[in-house]
Amino acid sequence: MTLDRAITAKFVPIHIVGGGLSGSEAAWQLARAGVPVILHEMRPLRETAAHKTDFYAELVCSNSFRSDDAAANAVGLLHEEMRRLGSLIMRAADANQVPAGGALAVDRDGFSSAVTEALKAEPLITLERGEVTVPPADWDSVIIATGPLTSPDLAAAVAQRTGETQLAFFDAIAPIVHRESIDMDKAWFQSRYDKAGPGGSGADYINCPLSREQYDAFIDALLAGDKTSFKEWEANTPYFNGCLPIEVMAERGRETLRHGPMKPFGLTNPRSPEQKPYAVVQLRQDNKLGTLFNMVGFQTKLKHGEQVRIFRTIPGLENAEFARLGGLHRNTFLNSPKLLDETLRLKANPAWRFAGQITGCEGYVESAAVGLMAARFAAAERRGETLMPPPPTTAHGALLAHITGGHIETIDGGASSFQPMNVNFGLFPPITEPVAFDKDGRKYGRGSAKNVARKGALSARALADLAQWMNGTKADAAE
């Protein structure tokens, strides 16, 4: 898309609801594309339980944007892609960086102030303070970027329009493991009683067996593990779908998990068919690529360090690499694969787009990146152009693919378990030719060097494909 401010007078403004990182980035991208925008932020006229200032893009939790390593870390790659796409959030972050080793951390007030001043100075952006409870019918293009603290009235309006009964809940989410890090010399594929189920083959779960001694030690570790606690403003939020954390189930009796998500019934270890496991941890495919598997029923509020320590005691997961650890927090998000199209429009009402955490992404940078994409789609639509989504081999494309369709329905006919996620290399299509040799021609083993090389190859491919996509969009806009 080219910037041609001479023709902007013919454009009706696009409205954005929410002045967080996602909404701020979306406003900036629209203005850079020559499309006027009205950015609505309810603070300070209506406060939230977490915000402290009236700045746009206020950081309410950590001041870290996590790793800035574009060669070996997916979020670092996302940083670099956003820089190349002219991100305001990344410009402000880079200008307000504070020492944090290999991470990108920022002076939180300096960062938010820089974003706020940039938005105020942009002539194509109109800033309006006040709550939007329901986007008016005459707004023909609106981006809803209200995040996990969406006001109750707007959440109710979204729920009514989408047909979802509830958007705010405690999502006690289960960990997700990179498939290649599971030791298949100890684990095996099998569905319970070899049942195929809808879309299944009868061997759809990875099974990790535990002896009685291992199970007892696991229960002891769960009960003793350090856990997160509720914030005051979260206290009355219900659990999602009644899914209890595994440690809460363990507190109800030592055998509860063995007769719940860890039940061994209907499973036979092919390596020792005569010896039945006392308990089994099952992992189920989580994305269409088959690169990620979630730990079935293992929603938890254990602190992250405890999760890694305890879950790596499970046979087959001793060297597990986690794409996402479990958690428990109040959240507001859509069942996006069902409700949104590939350009983040609500299928039931294409005038509404969604961006940020409400779409099912996690993290500051991911939220801003989805805002960036939503704005570019909306700007292209306003200018009468067609913008194809970025390739799924890029960080932006991989994140978008997860949000709008990368998750699979459960193969056993259960409820969908789409959950928010940070960007990670498990969301990327595998490289066509796996990295097998180092630069000196030596064959990699199974260790970290091969993993680093694989990530480097994924990153190099992503940046090359992003450049090609950007050149294509520029060529399309010039025609």
Side-chain angles (χ1 to χ4, degrees):
M1 293 181 289
T2 58
L3 178 61
D4 186 357
R5 294 175 185 248
I7 64 172
T8 59
K10 74 176 185 179
F11 291 141
V12 176
I14 291 174
H15 294 263
I16 299 175
V17 183
L21 278 78
S22 183
S24 297
E25 183 66 57
W28 182 257
Q29 292 290 328
L30 283 165
R32 294 293 90 192
V35 177
V37 56
I38 300 175
L39 177 58
H40 302 265
E41 170 54 50
M42 69 180 186
R43 294 177 295 115
L45 300 180
R46 179 163 183 174
E47 298 288 358
T48 75
H51 291 87
K52 305 299 182 185
T53 77
D54 62 356
F55 285 146
Y56 291 87
E58 179 185 340
L59 304 181
V60 298
C61 296
S62 169
N63 70 327
S64 175
F65 284 26
R66 312 195 317 279
S67 173
D68 201 36
D69 183 354
N73 189 285
V75 74
L77 173 61
L78 187 60
H79 290 174
E80 181 58 27
E81 289 188 8
M82 292 177 70
R83 292 183 179 109
R84 299 186 184 195
L85 291 166
S87 165
L88 171 63
I89 294 301
M90 289 309 302
R91 188 183 82 176
D94 289 335
N96 291 276
Q97 186 172 4
V98 297
L104 174 59
V106 303
D107 176 296
R108 66 175 67 239
D109 289 339
F111 165 79
S112 298
S113 177
V115 172
T116 301
E117 292 307 313
L119 296 176
K120 287 181 177 178
E122 171 51 59
L124 288 180
I125 297 176
T126 300
L127 301 176
E128 290 193 0
R129 298 283 184 167
E131 183 181 5
V132 176
T133 56
V134 182
D138 60 353
W139 289 6
D140 69 332
S141 182
V142 56
I143 298 173
I144 299 174
T146 46
L149 297 178
T150 298
S151 69
D153 290 341
L154 180 57
V158 172
Q160 181 180 23
R161 188 61 62 96
T162 60
E164 299 288 290
T165 57
Q166 190 173 343
L167 296 176
F169 41 77
F170 269 132
D171 52 328
I173 56 181
I176 291 178
V177 179
H178 287 276
R179 162 67 179 83
E180 64 180 13
S181 71
I182 301 172
D183 186 353
M184 296 306 296
D185 289 334
K186 296 180 180 179
W188 75 94
F189 274 99
Q190 184 187 5
S191 298
R192 201 176 303 281
Y193 299 108
D194 300 310
K195 181 180 178 181
S201 66
D204 302 299
Y205 292 81
I206 294 176
N207 299 277
C208 299
L210 289 84
S211 66
R212 179 162 191 165
E213 292 75 16
Q214 290 168 328
Y215 176 79
D216 284 339
F218 180 77
I219 296 299
D220 290 339
L222 280 184
L223 295 175
D226 198 9
K227 304 167 183 68
T228 58
S229 57
F230 295 112
K231 295 182 176 65
E232 181 180 352
W233 53 272
E234 296 176 321
N236 295 322
T237 308
Y239 285 105
F240 177 48
N241 284 349
C243 57
L244 291 173
I246 54 171
E247 58 275 5
V248 173
M249 287 188 273
E251 289 170 356
R252 296 183 174 182
R254 295 187 66 86
E255 294 291 292
T256 301
L257 282 172
R258 185 172 171 268
H259 291 274
M262 296 180 69
K263 57 181 177 286
F265 314 117
L267 297 168
T268 301
N269 187 341
R271 296 179 188 85
S272 54
E274 302 302 320
Q275 184 178 2
K276 296 295 184 181
Y278 190 75
V280 171
V281 173
Q282 289 196 307
L283 296 96
R284 178 175 55 218
Q285 185 175 336
D286 197 79
N287 66 341
K288 290 180 179 178
L289 296 172
T291 54
L292 301 175
F293 276 68
N294 70 70
M295 298 176 69
V296 178
F298 264 57
Q299 54 275 0
T300 179
K301 59 178 182 177
L302 287 168
K303 291 187 175 180
H304 283 180
E306 292 287 77
Q307 290 182 48
V308 174
R309 179 181 67 84
I310 295 171
F311 295 158
R312 282 181 176 169
T313 66
I314 297 169
L317 301 184
E318 292 90 346
N319 298 305
E321 294 183 15
F322 295 91
R324 182 192 70 192
L325 288 163
L328 177 70
H329 58 282
R330 182 186 184 276
N331 212 335
T332 302
F333 67 90
L334 300 169
N335 185 3
S336 293
K338 173 184 176 183
L339 299 175
L340 303 183
D341 70 13
E342 65 176 2
T343 68
L344 299 167
R345 294 183 303 183
L346 185 65
K347 294 175 183 177
N349 181 13
W352 291 10
R353 271 188 173 83
F354 288 85
Q357 284 188 294
I358 198 169
T359 65
C361 66
E362 283 278 11
Y364 291 146
V365 183
E366 291 88 339
S367 295
V370 178
L372 184 155
M373 291 309 309
R376 287 184 168 237
F377 290 136
E381 186 177 77
R382 182 64 95 217
R383 294 167 66 93
E385 302 165 359
T386 299
L387 177 63
M388 296 300 295
T393 51
T394 65
H396 280 80
L399 189 61
L400 190 65
H402 165 70
I403 289 169
T404 62
H407 181 78
I408 62 171
E409 298 292 327
T410 55
I411 56 105
D412 54 4
S416 173
S417 57
F418 175 70
Q419 294 283 358
M421 187 181 293
N422 295 110
V423 67
N424 66 83
F425 282 121
L427 300 179
F428 291 60
I431 50 179
T432 305
E433 298 180 2
V435 179
F437 299 93
D438 66 17
K439 59 184 178 62
D440 297 320
R442 293 187 293 265
K443 187 175 179 62
Y444 285 115
R446 295 184 62 184
S448 60
K450 181 178 181 180
N451 193 35
V452 170
R454 179 184 64 85
K455 292 176 180 178
L458 289 168
S459 293
R461 181 186 67 178
L463 293 177
D465 288 355
L466 180 74
Q468 186 175 5
W469 178 75
M470 291 174 64
N471 289 333
T473 59
K474 290 175 183 177
D476 292 342
E479 292 177 356

